[in-house]
Amino acid sequence: SLRRQRQMCIRDRGMLVSLNGDTYHGEFRDGKPNGYGEMRYASGASHRGLWERGERNGSGVFVDVDGSVIETLWKGDLPETAE
C-alpha cells in the first residue's frame, strides 16, 4: 500500500507532507517526527525544534502567522508555562 511504501522510505531523516499541506523536514522514528526537525504548517506558521513520537517535546521555537514567537520547552505538544 502507499502508506507502507511511505513508511519504508522514511528511515532516519526525510520529509513528510500531510494531506492538509503541512510539511515536516527532519528526523523520524517509526514513521513519526522524532528528534530535531521543522514543521511548516499550511497556515503559514512553523515550528523548529525537538519532536518525540510526532509531538513537540523539548526545546523549540514556534512562529505564528502574525509573526509572534514562542521560544520555550514543549511537552505533550504544548508549550510549558512558568509557574
Side-chain angles (χ1 to χ4, degrees):
S1 73
L2 179 60
R3 179 182 172 122
R4 181 183 168 115
Q5 290 174 357
R6 180 187 297 171
Q7 288 184 349
M8 286 172 47
C9 292
I10 299 171
R11 297 188 59 98
D12 296 326
R13 291 193 55 79
M15 181 177 89
L16 175 68
V17 179
S18 299
L19 292 175
N20 67 2
D22 296 346
T23 305
Y24 173 82
H25 294 267
E27 298 174 334
F28 287 86
R29 176 180 276 172
D30 298 327
K32 295 181 182 177
N34 199 83
Y36 184 81
E38 180 174 7
M39 178 76 77
R40 293 189 176 267
Y41 299 98
S43 66
S46 66
H47 176 84
R48 184 179 65 246
L50 297 174
W51 297 77
E52 186 176 350
R53 291 183 223 125
E55 295 184 333
R56 295 170 286 189
N57 271 299
S59 62
V61 178
F62 178 84
V63 181
D64 209 342
V65 294
D66 65 4
S68 59
V69 176
I70 299 173
E71 185 172 357
T72 189
L73 292 176
W74 298 77
K75 185 171 185 174
D77 216 31
L78 297 171
E80 292 189 337
T81 56
E83 296 183 23

